[in-house]
Amino acid sequence: MNTVMTERPVLGLTMGDPAGVGPEVIVRALAEQEVYDICRPLVLGDAGAIRQALHTLRLDLAVQTLASGEAPEGNAGVIEVLPLSELQPEDLIPGRPTAEGGAASGRYIETAARMAMNGRLQGMVTAPISKENLNRGGYRYQGHTQMLAHLADGAEVVMMLAGPKLRVVLATIHIPLKDVPETLTSDQIVDTARITNRCLKKYFGLAEPRLAAAALNPHGGEGGMFGREDEEIIMPAVSEARSLGMDIKGPYPADTVFYRAVQGEFDVVVCMYHDQGLIPLKLLHFRDGVNVTLGLPFIRTSVDHGTAFDIAGQGLADHTSMVCAVRMAAEMAAMEKKGLEQEQPEALD
């Protein structure tokens, strides 16, 4: 194996729900030369599903299965698969998810996380799963983020969505909107900012990340007329985060803060609930947005879309987000490696 190959990180691509668009976006991405220029991809999934997707898309790529412990070569034109399931034809019907497929999707994630934690992967990139089907398959999690945090011994994690123009992180994630004011705390916001600040330095090369906190209420609460959460929860959190050395400002009204971030004033916006961050992010980056889990002891990126059961198997799925997720994971791995190399001389002193 030549020097260039050994320098490319090994990235594990989990196949997602076999009945969704995961197999399609993976094989489309692995038909791109760029992917092999920046990493050695290893698909954790089902070889039959990958072959089926290749047939559907009329792509002339070889499929090579690897044994456990065998490292991928990373040669363009060859999709290397670690086979973790041998699903039956009825479990591979596009758009018709099964409990067996849900169980398999959980197994792909579980295996990739363990491989990343023991150093066999330099990062993992996940295709979409069905949260409902994951639970039908016996994995009782709300989604990837919660599952990965559990597998990493309860790591404190933050969901970041990122594109070339905008990054957002979420202080609360998958909860009903009506529960946000009661659930949101200053400690949550400080922890979200702390993890984000650390990871933007470590993985994105930002020496002093600039954070903005979005207000919860219209006009930042208008002095309490439209709600007191901004004064009583968010402002104290911003003050505490600043006292810990973070460059964070706000809370700023949500109807202007995203524009300011896109104009370059901030590196990331700390959002108080799911849709507050995802609506502007997907408006700008519907095709090229990437989901990143910050705070894990390994790199994890993901496509920023769902299983799309309604179009699965029709050759309509857009693989742009998968390519962007692979690219971001490779860049994060390179930045992490650079940081470790810079720390090494100090460790020897």
Side-chain angles (χ1 to χ4, degrees):
M1 194 176 294
N2 63 38
T3 304
V4 174
M5 278 189 174
T6 58
E7 290 179 350
R8 288 177 296 157
V10 177
L11 299 181
L13 279 59
T14 59
M15 201 182 72
D17 195 292
V21 296
E24 294 173 63
V25 297
I26 284 178
V27 300
R28 279 194 190 275
L30 296 184
E32 303 280 350
Q33 178 65 46
E34 176 197 353
V35 170
Y36 291 89
D37 290 340
I38 59 177
C39 75
R40 288 177 286 159
L42 174 64
V43 178
L44 288 83
D46 191 286
I50 295 298
R51 291 191 179 98
Q52 178 175 286
L54 287 170
H55 177 75
T56 298
L57 300 171
R58 296 183 174 86
L59 290 173
D60 186 20
L61 302 173
V63 176
Q64 180 178 345
T65 58
L66 303 186
S68 179
E70 191 175 358
E73 292 283 339
N75 296 318
V78 180
I79 298 179
E80 294 171 282
V81 180
L82 178 62
L84 299 174
S85 64
E86 293 183 10
L87 294 167
Q88 298 300 308
E90 58 267 27
D91 300 313
L92 297 177
I93 300 174
R96 297 186 185 179
T98 65
E100 289 75 11
S105 70
R107 193 153 60 249
Y108 309 150
I109 299 164
E110 196 171 37
T111 304
R114 288 174 178 164
M115 289 175 66
M117 285 188 285
N118 66 27
R120 288 178 55 198
L121 300 176
Q122 280 72 63
M124 60 183 289
V125 182
T126 59
I129 59 170
S130 160
K131 298 173 181 64
E132 178 184 356
N133 213 35
L134 182 72
N135 278 260
R136 285 177 63 201
Y139 289 89
R140 308 299 182 189
Y141 301 101
Q142 293 180 325
H144 272 111
T145 303
Q146 292 79 8
M147 182 174 179
L148 291 170
H150 175 77
L151 293 171
D153 296 323
E156 289 184 275
V157 297
V158 167
M159 181 185 289
M160 180 172 82
L161 292 304
K165 296 180 180 179
L166 179 66
R167 298 186 190 98
V168 300
V169 294
L170 309 179
T172 66
I173 306 179
H174 295 128
I175 62 172
L177 183 59
K178 67 181 179 62
D179 294 340
V180 171
E182 293 182 0
T183 303
L184 190 66
T185 67
S186 294
D187 286 345
Q188 276 180 305
I189 299 167
V190 172
D191 288 342
T192 300
R194 174 177 52 80
I195 294 168
T196 302
N197 189 65
R198 183 182 76 236
C199 291
L200 288 179
K201 290 180 179 181
K202 179 177 181 179
Y203 294 119
F204 293 86
L206 298 175
E208 294 296 333
R210 301 164 301 163
L211 286 69
L216 177 66
N217 297 299
H219 304 287
E222 199 72 64
M225 290 177 61
F226 305 145
R228 304 205 60 85
E229 291 87 0
D230 298 289
E231 291 184 4
E232 296 176 357
I233 298 173
I234 304 176
M235 287 179 66
V238 169
S239 296
E240 183 178 348
R242 289 185 66 83
S243 74
L244 295 173
M246 288 175 251
D247 181 3
I248 180 170
K249 298 175 182 176
Y252 295 121
D255 60 358
T256 58
V257 70
F258 299 103
Y259 173 80
R260 294 170 66 178
V262 169
Q263 294 305 305
E265 189 174 347
F266 307 113
D267 296 308
V268 66
V269 180
V270 180
C271 304
M272 301 303 126
Y273 58 94
H274 184 277
D275 284 10
Q276 184 181 55
L278 267 68
I279 289 172
L281 190 285
K282 291 196 175 186
L283 179 65
L284 292 171
H285 298 297
F286 189 79
R287 295 180 67 238
D288 61 353
V290 178
N291 184 341
V292 188
T293 305
L294 305 178
L296 293 168
F298 52 86
I299 293 165
R300 180 260 174 161
T301 65
S302 179
V303 295
D304 187 24
H305 60 74
T307 53
F309 289 131
D310 57 326
I311 63 167
Q314 300 175 40
L316 301 175
D318 188 342
H319 66 292
T320 305
S321 184
M322 175 58 73
V323 173
C324 291
V326 170
R327 185 187 304 128
M328 186 173 290
E331 291 171 351
M332 291 171 69
M335 190 63 64
E336 182 180 38
K337 181 181 178 183
K338 180 180 178 182
L340 291 172
E341 289 172 347
Q342 290 174 344
E343 291 173 5
Q344 193 65 27
E346 297 178 5
L348 296 175
D349 288 343

